[in-house]
Amino acid sequence: MPIVVDVDVMLARRKMSVGTLAERVGITPANLAVLKNGRAKAVRFATLAALCEVLECQPGDLLRWEPDGEADSTDPA
């Protein structure tokens, strides 16, 4: 998928665990893992806004577009 989710990058920068982020955002750790691992098909703007608020970042810090074939090697496609 050409949209890459960099939640893990922001978690590392903020020295925050997935569980802590999930709790502060108000989503389950499992749903956050789906988003973090690039398996999500959609994200609600309310969830994106909550992620940005908790991580003190912009949406572009969490999401980026890469043309097909340029995604990192963790992409199973």
Side-chain angles (χ1 to χ4, degrees), residues 2-77:
I3 301 297
V4 179
V5 181
D6 287 328
V7 170
D8 54 343
V9 173
M10 292 306 297
L11 280 170
R13 287 183 183 167
R14 301 297 187 252
K15 297 181 173 123
M16 187 181 296
S17 72
V18 171
T20 299
L21 179 60
E23 183 178 320
R24 290 183 184 174
V25 170
I27 62 176
T28 67
N31 283 340
L32 183 56
V34 167
L35 179 63
K36 183 172 105 45
N37 295 325
R39 295 187 315 256
K41 299 294 180 193
V43 62
R44 293 180 183 194
F45 283 144
T47 302
L48 183 58
L51 287 166
C52 289
E53 182 177 351
V54 171
L55 293 170
E56 298 178 353
C57 66
Q58 295 295 313
D61 296 325
L62 300 175
L63 303 172
R64 62 187 158 91
W65 177 78
E66 289 189 357
D68 286 333
E70 293 185 22
D72 64 18
S73 60
T74 61
D75 188 4

